Amino acid sequence: MSEKDQSFSMGRRWLVFSIVFIIGILSAYSMFKAPPLFSTIIPELGFTDENIGWVMSMFSIIGVVLAFPAGAILAKLGIKKSLVITAASLAIGSAIGAVANDVPVLLASRFIEGIGMGLISVVGPAAIATIIPRAKQGLAMGIWSVWFPAGTVLAFNTAPALAASLGWRSVWWVAAALCLAALVFALVCYAQPPAEKVEEGHVAGGITRKPDMFSIMMVAIAFMTWNAFNAGAISSFYPTFLADVHAMDPQTSGFVASITNLCVLALGPISGIVSDKLGTRKGLLVFAFVGAVVFLTFGFSDNLALIYVFVIGFAFFSASCATGTFSIIPELTHQPEKIGFSMAIVAFLQNLGIVIGSAVFPVVAAGLAWDWNTASLAFCVPLAVVGLICVILVREKANRS
């Protein structure tokens, strides 16, 4: 065993993992710091109810554009430099947004921040696949799966308080400072562990197994639909819905909207452990989409009791979807060196889903005179059904070793 192999204990691997995880959380925080403050940003910068969704969509458009180039960037520059670029784009974009005085400048800043989201969506899972040994990747991907909800919880619960005391621009400055600190952390502490040896399960009769592109595409399309209704519609507009229909103040609506993601913080790792024990990733995805189809029928109800049932119960499905997606893709890919490309497909469709959801859902709701629950039935539920069909078609058994 080489000196480098000996120096990379599991403790050190988890430290390196934490760098990737923190930058992932800050990417989601940067994205979702805006929705709790829409009511303030709309009149001050000149947005309208119909176009405010582009504050979220613009963040994701670059994720769509950058998904496949991100795989090339990762291959060319390596994980460490890619992480540094991710943190730098988030810091610079947030700083520009903090001084924005009109719609174009704020949207431009969101585009720059979106570079970070576009990169981390590909770099994060690919990095973890090389950092953590395959035997522990169920747990690792379970933990990684909460980067998005963790950032959302952080944003929904800190942004309103900061804005109330120091103004909405303070939220952007805090995000910039945190991302700058993460950049320094990556520069100082990140080191690439030695490559893991190829396992026997990846070779059959001396021939390396090829990626199952059909199943990878089905998972990616399903994840796109999930992000369209979950990140694009629910996470982007649930605080506004709670304020409009249930008369909650910004701090309360932000907290209630974050309950799902708060629960996911615990359920994500647990779902990874359960998946390892049961030996199935597809099962998690089927469970997630069946639950989504049912719960989205009352997710935007005018009955407050049903709202709490939704935000708590939906956490089980959200955790299962993220964990199932991030853990099944490496298994369907088979070849470690091609995981980055597979994750690029997932990231491309993931961000496309967010763009579609955050741009289309408010138009549907506005067209129905902001009848939120009917909008969910017309937009969210059909997407969940499509996602369920896709995961049913995934050929897990034929590709699990």
Side-chain angles (χ1 to χ4, degrees), residues 129-217:
T130 63
I131 293 168
I132 305 298
R134 184 170 297 274
K136 297 181 182 293
Q137 279 187 17
L139 174 59
M141 290 300 185
I143 296 173
W144 168 251
S145 72
V146 308
W147 69 275
F148 202 81
T152 306
V153 168
L154 187 63
F156 279 7
N157 287 282
T158 62
L162 275 172
S165 58
L166 299 173
W168 71 267
R169 295 178 191 276
S170 67
V171 180
W172 267 249
W173 284 121
V174 167
L178 290 173
C179 293
L180 181 61
L183 187 156
V184 175
F185 185 29
L187 282 173
V188 173
C189 298
Y190 189 91
Q192 185 63 36
E196 185 181 11
K197 293 180 179 179
V198 178
E199 298 179 9
E200 293 181 2
H202 294 280
V203 178
I207 301 175
T208 303
R209 298 174 67 184
K210 295 181 180 180
D212 181 353
M213 293 308 302
F214 173 80
S215 293
I216 290 170
M217 285 301 303

Side-chain angles (χ1 to χ4, degrees), residues 215-239:
S215 293
I216 290 170
M217 285 301 303
M218 289 299 98
V219 173
I221 292 171
F223 203 48
M224 177 186 71
T225 67
W226 185 276
N227 279 276
F229 64 72
N230 186 47
I234 298 173
S235 294
S236 295
F237 295 98
Y238 218 63

Side-chain angles (χ1 to χ4, degrees), residues 304-380:
L304 189 57
L306 286 178
I307 294 302
Y308 284 103
V309 171
F310 175 77
V311 296
I312 294 172
F314 201 74
F316 290 88
F317 313 124
S318 185
S320 297
C321 182
T323 301
T325 298
F326 292 129
S327 58
I328 200 172
I329 290 297
E331 295 183 355
L332 295 172
T333 303
H334 303 305
Q335 301 173 26
E337 69 275 10
K338 294 185 179 179
I339 292 176
F341 177 73
S342 297
M343 287 299 179
I345 296 173
V346 174
F348 174 81
L349 292 177
Q350 173 189 9
N351 284 288
L352 182 60
I354 297 173
V355 171
I356 293 170
S358 57
V360 176
F361 184 71
V363 175
V364 174
L368 294 169
W370 296 101
D371 182 348
W372 294 92
N373 204 59
T374 303
S376 180
L377 292 172
F379 181 79
C380 298

